[in-house]
Amino acid sequence: MSLTRAFTLASDERAQAAGRDADLTLRPPLDRYASSDFKHIDSIAEIGFRHASEHVAEWTAGRQ
């Protein structure tokens, strides 16, 4: 197993553990980007912001 793969598996496991205790978890649609795509940070941030805005509004409405 490569070091990169081991790091990814450990990171995924920590994210899943954190998600079990969270009231809301979000996974913005960022599959087309690599974790090292720093040159696209503005696009990534915009996608994340829009995704969060939509889902937080839905989640908040459902809690009332």
Side-chain angles (χ1 to χ4, degrees):
M1 178 184 313
S2 73
L3 184 58
T4 302
R5 180 71 179 141
F7 176 75
T8 301
L9 289 173
S11 179
D12 288 348
E13 187 173 315
R14 281 193 306 273
Q16 289 175 2
R20 284 191 287 269
D21 295 328
D23 290 329
L24 175 68
T25 58
L26 301 173
R27 293 203 45 113
L30 299 173
D31 293 339
R32 65 182 173 184
Y33 297 103
S35 59
S36 59
D37 270 342
F38 300 114
K39 63 185 174 192
H40 298 288
I41 192 67
D42 292 335
S43 296
I44 291 169
E46 181 64 26
I47 291 168
F49 179 81
R50 287 183 185 185
H51 184 82
S53 295
E54 292 168 9
H55 287 81
V56 168
E58 292 171 7
W59 179 74
T60 302
R63 293 183 56 110
Q64 295 177 356

